[in-house]
Structures are given as structure tokens and as C-alpha cells.
Amino acid sequence: MESVEDLSLGPCTASQYLRPFRLRYRQNGISKIWDFMRSHDSVSILIFNTSRQCFVVVKQFRPAVYMCEMERKCPQNFERKKQETWNPLPNSLPASVGVTYELCAGIVDKPELSLEEIACREILEECGYEVPLATLKRITSYRDGFLAIQAAKMAAVWRIFTGRSGVGVTGSKQTLFYAEVTDEMKASEGGGQPEEGELIEVVEIPLKDSMDFAYNESFPKTMGVIFSFMWFQTNVAPNLLEN
Amino acid sequence: MESVEDLSLGPCTASQYLRPFRLRYRQNGISKIWDFMRSHDSVSILIFNTSRQCFVVVKQFRPAVYMCEMERKCPQNFERKKQETWNPLPNSLPASVGVTYELCAGIVDKPELSLEEIACREILEECGYEVPLATLKRITSYRDGFLAIQAAKMAAVWRIFTGRSGVGVTGSKQTLFYAEVTDEMKASEGGGQPEEGELIEVVEIPLKDSMDFAYNESFPKTMGVIFSFMWFQTNVAPNLLEN
């Protein structure tokens, strides 16, 4: 059980990591401005343990998820006037509202490694399995969808100031893999790199419970988990039954 | 065919929309710092036209996607030294690399409206169909997955400076609906609100081609499209065959 205390919200005028860029361009003859964040491409991996017929996913406390719930409860903490100083937040929400289930994943930041090599490293680091590169199966790739949602709203607000513009956040490419593991491939406990601030809990979801889990909204999760569990049902489970 | 020209990349020191916050807290006794962006919850809708047995999705030019491709080709434009001034970008990439297929979607920014009401408004505004509120079916909800990926990387970099921290971007809640429409429900052309900078093309994907489309990576798309097409195959298509 996670414990989260002494929350304080403050300004972030020069984040090392959240660096917005501004783009000017003409689309079909119309001048536009678009603010966006840089972000890395990423890989994520659906891991299925055949020895015990379960999926292997990770569970983490996510401050951004926790703060969404906090904002729902105490929107006044997020108003602009409060952004200039540090404001202690009420300690009223349990840490569990910020815990999410996710696929094992990592960003693509080493040009010398293939997507498959990065995926295998993440599986070992986060979940503790040594997976042979050649057994990894590519499912598909897609674009981060966050920008799509944000842009519509931002355009509407921006219009008040400039007449025409919009804002997007990231358009990075995500590639999804499938890896089958056995208990014999277990090389370590996983759990990420605590010295880098990662506190990852490895969780096994039995195959027989997986679709109930996927659609049970009381377990917060990313779409990658829901999609890949369903992909497995359609593309892998029928072969399991045959064998 | 979209035309995109006269691109110029510049600083964005005070975006109205990309406002980072910084959170300090203690997790299991360890002090942490986390930078994050605020974002709104959102709804997206899988629309199926029963008159013509096709899905109705939207297609838009997304600057953030375009710039990801640009960075892949010309990474030097994104280096820190260039961020202080406006830099013209080469006009070498066709606009089509920034066009993505997405579900009809909108953000949740009107407290007086239910998620269903917001979804119905977006369907009308973007795709031109008048859908009765009661016919909307909730599929599921999930958390924006972007933060998951970004955080791992950020923690690793930040460690150099502080020993322990991380960065996340958004943890907003996305709710996915399913709407069946008929040609008789068509009330307008859709296409969004051009006066707000939206340039949305409504696209129909025939049911029979939909899974090929979903897994064809040469059509950039969000995971919402892939997941919901597959959800339809499992949960709706079997009933269509029966009728």
C-alpha cells in the first residue's frame, strides 16, 4: 500500500522536461500558430506467462493521475492565482486513487538500439524476464491520442485572442509488442530502477480473469492494457485452446 | 489534399495552454518532485452507420504529428540552442505525414453537461449526425497513457540533478462511447467549427475493410480507432450477422 503525504503544489517556470515549442505555419493558405511539447517515441509490451497462464503488467503510483482526482475534488488549488507560490494541498485522498495498471513500456531514446532491443531491456528491467529478441512479436503502432483531444479545446480558447490557432501536445509514435514468457525465463524480481525513482510493482492477471479486469473501471488503467488483452483474445487465445 | 508551408519553429515561454505545475510530496517516506501538465477529461465516440455499414471517423492535420516526423528527419532544429529565436524549417515533408485518423472526440469542460451530452454535441459538430442521448452506449473509461511512457525517461534524466524525481504529463480520464447512426440522422456536413481553427474531414471506413485499416500502419491513427474497431468485431458484429 502506497503512502503519499505532505503534498505541495507550486510554479514550474522552467521545467527541464516539459519544454513547449511554438510552430508558425500556413495551412491551405491560412496562417496558424500551434504550441506543442516534444516527446519521445515509445514501445510497450503485452507479456503473457505461459507457465501460469497469466498476463504480466506493472502497477505504479502516478502523480498526474492523483492530481487529476485532486483537481476534481479541489479545483481551487489549480487556479492561476495560486500558481505563483507553493501551496500545501489537503491530504484527503488515499494514494490508491493515483495507482494505475499499465503495460511494461519504455521510451525510444537510444538510436543505436532497435525497437525490439529496447522492448527486451524494459521487460527485464521492469518485470524481470529475459526474453529472446527473435521471439518478440510486433502487434502494431499508433499515434499518441492526447493531442487530438486537447487541440479542439485549445483552438476554441485561443480564438478569443488570435482568431485562428490551436495547441497540441505530442504526436509521438507508440509501437506495441507481444512477448511470451515462462517461469524459466525469470532472471530477477523486476521493479524498475529504484535509484532512478521508479517504484514499479509487477502484477499478474490470470488469463481467465483478464477481460473482467479490462472492463472493470474500478481498476484505473491505460488503453494499452485494455486493447492488448482484447487483441490476445482474438489472436492468441484460439491457438491456446487448440494446443 | 492539405497544403502546409512557411513553417517556422520558435520559443514558447508563456503558452496560454501548456502550463506546467510542479508537485512536491513524500511517497513511502521519500521526498519527490514531479512536473506535470493539467489536462481535461475527454470523451470519444465510435460511430457506426447502419444504413451503409461503415464506421464514421475524422481525419485532421496534426502539427504535433507532423513535427515528430520533422524531428526524425531534421533533429538539429529541435536542439536547445535553436529555441531562443524563430527558425524557418525546410518545407520538405508533405502535409500528409501529419494527417491522422481519429475517433470523433471532445473535452469535458462544461460542468453542466453530462458526458453523454458532450458526446452527442461532438457527434453533431464534427460528423453531422443527430444522435438521441439514450441510444449512446458507454464502452469503458481509461487513463491517458502518455504519462506512463514519459515518466520513466524523465526520472532517469532528473536523477542526475536531484537524486530522485520524475515527470508526468497528464492523467486525465477518457471515456469511450458507441453510437449507431443512420443516414436519416444526418443533419449537417459536420467538419467541426472552421471559425475555431478546426479543419476536420469526415471519413467513412466500410465495415468489411475496417480490420485491414486498423492494422495498416501506413494510415496513422490513434489507439482509440484500433481498439474500438476490434471491440465492435467482438461485441457488435456477431449480433449484426444474426439480424
Side-chain angles (χ1 to χ4, degrees):
Chain A
M1 186 56 204
E2 299 290 334
S3 145
V4 171
E5 355 164 64
D6 289 352
L7 292 117
S8 184
L9 187 65
C12 181
T13 47
S15 177
Q16 290 282 341
Y17 312 115
L18 301 178
R19 272 199 313 142
F21 282 80
R22 180 162 290 180
L23 177 71
R24 293 196 292 218
Y25 64 105
R26 273 192 302 136
Q27 182 179 358
N28 301 340
I30 298 169
S31 293
K32 296 194 169 193
I33 291 173
W34 200 276
D35 292 350
F36 67 100
M37 307 284 298
R38 288 178 66 190
S39 73
H40 282 272
D41 289 349
S42 67
V43 295
S44 56
I45 311 104
L46 172 66
I47 305 173
F48 182 65
N49 182 318
T50 58
S51 307
R52 272 174 301 155
Q53 300 282 298
C54 65
F55 295 108
V56 181
V57 301
V58 297
K59 196 173 145 185
Q60 293 187 71
F61 174 75
R62 293 299 191 184
V65 172
Y66 186 84
M67 293 307 284
C68 274
E69 295 306 311
M70 182 74 83
E71 185 174 7
R72 224 183 294 275
K73 201 161 177 175
C74 319
Q76 67 280 7
N77 291 313
F78 289 81
E79 286 161 18
R80 184 175 292 268
K81 63 180 165 53
K82 300 266 184 175
Q83 212 195 349
E84 308 313 315
T85 55
W86 285 93
N87 289 279
L89 297 175
N91 223 349
S92 52
L93 289 176
S96 58
V97 304
V99 170
T100 60
Y101 294 84
E102 303 160 14
L103 294 179
C104 173
I107 62 152
V108 178
D109 61 348
K110 297 189 183 64
E112 72 279 13
L113 298 182
S114 68
L115 296 181
E116 286 77 5
E117 285 167 328
I118 292 170
C120 284
R121 287 185 181 203
E122 291 296 336
I123 296 170
L124 180 61
E125 191 174 297
E126 292 191 352
C127 301
Y129 291 95
E130 269 184 8
V131 173
L133 204 62
T135 65
L136 216 59
K137 180 183 159 67
R138 181 190 176 106
I139 298 178
T140 193
S141 71
Y142 53 95
R143 293 291 172 166
D144 191 334
F146 177 56
L147 79 163
I149 311 306
Q150 207 67 356
K153 153 77 173 183
M154 298 313 186
V157 180
W158 193 291
R159 185 173 64 95
I160 300 163
F161 302 97
T162 67
R164 52 179 80 92
S165 189
V167 174
V169 169
T170 164
S172 62
K173 190 173 181 177
Q174 329 273 334
T175 307
L176 178 60
F177 291 96
Y178 171 63
E180 272 178 17
V181 302
T182 64
D183 284 348
E184 288 68 44
M185 294 182 192
K186 190 91 182 175
S188 71
E189 281 309 300
Q193 300 178 296
E195 72 278 15
E196 293 189 352
E198 288 188 313
L199 278 178
I200 296 173
E201 186 182 340
V202 182
V203 177
E204 299 186 342
I205 313 286
L207 174 57
K208 64 178 172 48
D209 305 329
S210 60
M211 292 316 293
D212 287 342
F213 172 84
Y215 285 110
N216 185 337
E217 298 184 39
S218 65
F219 299 109
K221 62 185 84 68
T222 59
M223 180 174 268
V225 172
I226 311 174
F227 166 73
S228 62
F229 281 17
M230 179 176 273
W231 173 87
F232 183 96
Q233 288 297 333
T234 308
N235 293 278
V236 183
N239 306 327
L240 288 180
L241 288 174
E242 279 173 21
N243 297 342
Chain B
M1 185 59 201
E2 299 289 334
S3 144
V4 171
E5 357 164 63
D6 288 353
L7 292 118
S8 183
L9 188 65
C12 180
T13 48
S15 176
Q16 291 281 340
Y17 312 114
L18 301 178
R19 272 199 314 140
F21 282 80
R22 180 161 289 180
L23 178 69
R24 295 196 290 220
Y25 63 107
R26 273 192 304 137
Q27 182 178 0
N28 300 342
I30 298 169
S31 293
K32 297 194 169 192
I33 291 173
W34 199 275
D35 292 351
F36 68 99
M37 307 284 297
R38 288 179 66 189
S39 73
H40 282 273
D41 289 349
S42 67
V43 296
S44 56
I45 312 104
L46 173 66
I47 305 173
F48 182 66
N49 182 317
T50 57
S51 308
R52 272 174 301 154
Q53 300 283 297
C54 65
F55 295 108
V56 180
V57 301
V58 296
K59 196 173 146 186
Q60 294 187 71
F61 174 75
R62 291 302 191 181
V65 172
Y66 186 83
M67 292 307 283
C68 275
E69 296 305 311
M70 181 73 83
E71 186 174 9
R72 224 182 294 276
K73 200 160 179 176
C74 320
Q76 67 279 10
N77 291 314
F78 289 81
E79 286 162 19
R80 184 174 291 268
K81 63 177 164 54
K82 301 264 186 176
Q83 211 194 350
E84 307 313 316
T85 55
W86 284 92
N87 290 278
L89 297 176
N91 223 352
S92 52
L93 289 176
S96 57
V97 305
V99 170
T100 61
Y101 293 84
E102 303 159 15
L103 294 178
C104 172
I107 62 152
V108 178
D109 61 349
K110 298 189 181 66
E112 73 279 14
L113 297 183
S114 68
L115 295 182
E116 287 77 5
E117 286 167 327
I118 292 171
C120 284
R121 286 185 181 203
E122 291 295 336
I123 297 171
L124 181 60
E125 192 175 297
E126 291 191 353
C127 300
Y129 290 95
E130 269 184 9
V131 173
L133 205 60
T135 66
L136 216 58
K137 180 183 160 65
R138 182 191 177 104
I139 298 177
T140 193
S141 71
Y142 53 94
R143 291 290 172 166
D144 191 333
F146 176 56
L147 78 164
I149 311 306
Q150 206 68 356
K153 152 79 173 183
M154 299 312 186
V157 181
W158 192 292
R159 185 175 62 98
I160 301 163
F161 303 98
T162 66
R164 53 178 80 91
S165 190
V167 174
V169 170
T170 163
S172 62
K173 189 175 181 176
Q174 328 275 333
T175 306
L176 177 61
F177 291 96
Y178 171 63
E180 272 179 16
V181 301
T182 63
D183 283 348
E184 287 69 45
M185 293 182 192
K186 190 90 181 177
S188 70
E189 282 308 302
Q193 299 179 295
E195 72 280 13
E196 292 188 353
E198 287 188 315
L199 277 179
I200 295 173
E201 186 183 339
V202 182
V203 177
E204 299 187 341
I205 313 284
L207 174 57
K208 66 179 170 49
D209 305 328
S210 60
M211 291 317 293
D212 287 342
F213 172 83
Y215 285 110
N216 185 336
E217 297 184 39
S218 64
F219 299 109
K221 62 185 85 67
T222 59
M223 179 173 270
V225 173
I226 311 175
F227 167 72
S228 63
F229 281 16
M230 178 176 274
W231 174 87
F232 183 96
Q233 287 297 333
T234 308
N235 294 278
V236 182
N239 305 329
L240 287 182
L241 288 174
E242 279 173 22
N243 296 344

